[in-house]
Amino acid sequence: MKRNTAISYLFFIAIITAVSGVIYVSVQQVYRTGADDPQLQIANEINLKLRDGKSVDNFFSDTIDISQSLSPFVSLYDEAGQPLRSSGFLNGKPPVLPEGVFDFTKTHGEHRVTWQPADGVRMAMVLLSSNSSPIRFIAAGRSLTEVEAREHDLITIIFFGWILCVGLVLLHAVLNFYNRNKNL
């Protein structure tokens, strides 16, 4: 096989790899950013109700074990980041978020984070600043279990697609090599 031909096949494999990577990253980002949508809606709705002096009790009618449930939950925090009220609980206690998320939220008004409060418990969290004393922050979250299962399926599909494409390029290279040597 000529050197240029070998470089061409390596170039095709590099293109397949790059395209596979771009597809994976693009779809993974759609999955992950979409995981914030319900929480963003809930947090904004609570913020509007608080600002208008309306009750938000309907958001706290159930208690959710965030280590087990896929349901969205809401927590309200004071100026110091201490929980005031929550529909979600971890080990029987309202979730206590890291201090830094409140600092960022205070400065920027909104913060979207992935939070892992315990092994095997990963949450997509949306935090909003609020000026409804004593409530300073609204946090809404939900489990990333289903999103991460989709991401795992995605990487499996992309990997097998990559293997198939690279296999076809290599098969073409072998057949091309065989045909060239047969004609000599």
Side-chain angles (χ1 to χ4, degrees), residues 12-13 15-21 23-24 153-170:
F12 291 141
I13 291 171
I15 289 172
I16 291 166
T17 302
V19 169
S20 297
I23 291 170
Y24 172 76
D153 292 345
L154 173 65
I155 202 162
T156 301
I157 291 166
I158 296 287
F159 176 73
F160 283 114
W162 180 83
I163 290 289
L164 177 66
C165 290
V166 169
L168 289 173
V169 169
L170 294 176

Side-chain angles (χ1 to χ4, degrees), residues 118-163:
D119 286 339
V121 181
R122 288 177 42 83
M123 299 285 137
M125 301 291 298
V126 173
L127 283 86
L128 294 180
S129 279
S130 180
N131 293 321
S132 303
S133 185
I135 299 163
R136 182 65 170 101
F137 302 99
I138 302 161
R142 74 174 177 150
S143 173
L144 282 170
T145 301
E146 289 300 311
V147 171
E148 289 174 341
R150 287 184 190 115
E151 288 174 352
H152 180 267
D153 292 345
L154 173 65
I155 202 162
T156 301
I157 291 166
I158 296 287
F159 176 73
F160 283 114
W162 180 83
I163 290 289

